[in-house]
Amino acid sequence: MSRLFEPLAIGQLEVPNRIVIAPMCQYSAESGSATDWHMIHLGHLALSGAGLLILEATAVSPEGRISSADLGLYSDANEVALGRVLNAVRAYSPIKVAIQLGHAGRKASSRAPWEGGTQVPSRSPDGWRTVAPSAVPHGKEEEPPIALDRDGLDKVRDDFVAAAQRAARLGIDGIELHAAHGYLLHQFLSPIANHRSDEYGGSLENRMRFPLEVFDAVRAAVPADKPVWVRVSATDWVPDGWDIEGTLAFSTALKARGCAAVHVSTGGVSPEQAIKLGPGYQVPYAQRVKAEVGLPTIAVGLITEPEQAEAIVADNEADAVSLARAMLYDPRWPWHAAAKLGAQVEAPKQYWRSQPREFKDLFAGAAFGQR
Ligand SMILES: Cc1cc2nc3c(=O)[nH]c(=O)nc-3n(C[C@H](O)[C@H](O)[C@H](O)COP(=O)(O)O)c2cc1C
């Protein structure tokens, strides 16, 4: 029996297998609202057979967007537009759908990757002045952010809550808070970006304070049956940056507050990061969080082969695997994995006739006949 295709509980959410589609920004929204691109993109991923689809980093405020084309959930129009996509997905797919809520902090006001990904100056029509824990820019030559004051912190926290409430209203199955990849919550955690001298900076306890306040506020604002979890960067890959010890402490504090899982990535806070890339290169960090904190963990990063994914779960290195680029390259990755591992997967009935002869039990419940 394949362990990858066993169900997984994330809080009270039952996920039918352990393949997660990682959040992937599409830079294709209009004023934060999902477009037909999202219908097509999420529509085809929803037919993949993965257990859980995590929607791209979704900004809790306009100034929290990475780019001016980011998805957002800060207005009624955003809520209606995303509701349209979710309704279509639900009409044709049993996939569980979570949303990643985020604020880009000092990495906001950027160009899309295909336009170079560089900072957009605040004076240009598509740019704005960013906010962050401290007035320290991401890149040395970049326009510095404004350090958040008390009112600013309260606004960010309240924006997270309002977006989470909108997500809950849309019937979303889970909420992932983005505290990874050098965005705002990670900026608070990391001494590279956080130079504050108040109760939100300095010691590890102080640097964790704001992300934990946001977690508490979101957790309290959504129904108890909706799991809330966090994506972290387990290391900055920079000497004296955020590291695995901090990640373990943060995950332990989150667990005590009712966090349902940890999605373990790395990097993103500094252009000086020196990442050691290789297949499954971030899995050892997920393994430590799982072993030492005991929360369900999702491993991510260069997981591309079914046997590799199976081994990660079977060897208890993580509870689930999440895939980004491999899913874009092959949106039927979970079908092919199920075929290789001798498991069953959900496929839409319209496609049942595509089941290859040699995999007679591949699609759950598949049957067809004709006159
Ligand atoms: C097109 C694209 C968009 C991404 N957008 C996000 C995002 O919105 N939020 C996030 O946490 N990570 C994002 N990532 C990172 C992925 O979720 C994932 O962690 C990373 O690509 C490593 O996994 P992979 O080797 O399976 O691609 C993105 C990656 C890609 C390729």
Side-chain angles (χ1 to χ4, degrees), residues 313-324:
V313 174
D315 297 345
N316 283 319
E317 292 172 352
D319 297 281
V321 293
S322 100
L323 284 73

Side-chain angles (χ1 to χ4, degrees), residues 223-236:
D225 64 326
K226 301 272 179 210
V228 180
W229 68 88
V230 177
R231 192 175 223 205
V232 296
S233 278
T235 173
D236 287 342

Side-chain angles (χ1 to χ4, degrees), residues 22-26 56-57 100 178 181 231 265 300-303 322-326 328:
M24 283 181 272
C25 283
Q26 297 299 296
E56 68 191 87
Q100 186 185 56
H178 199 352
H181 301 168
R231 192 175 223 205
S265 188
V300 66
L302 291 179
I303 300 169
S322 100
L323 284 73
R325 289 164 293 183
L328 295 185

Side-chain angles (χ1 to χ4, degrees), residues 11 215 219 227-230 250-251 253-262 295-296:
F215 179 86
R219 181 58 283 176
V228 180
W229 68 88
V230 177
F250 184 48
S251 304
L254 286 166
K255 184 182 181 189
R257 289 165 155 80
C259 181
V262 187
L295 276 174

Side-chain angles (χ1 to χ4, degrees), residues 104 106-107 133 136-139 142 179-194 233 235-238 240-242 266-273 275:
R106 68 181 188 170
K107 283 175 78 174
V136 181
H138 178 75
E142 292 179 355
H181 301 168
Y183 297 114
L184 185 70
L185 299 181
H186 181 189
Q187 289 161 28
F188 273 89
L189 296 171
S190 173
I192 307 257
N194 183 344
S233 278
T235 173
D236 287 342
W237 299 106
V238 177
D240 302 321
W242 176 250
T266 67
V269 93
S270 166
E272 268 144 49
Q273 62 188 9
I275 303 183

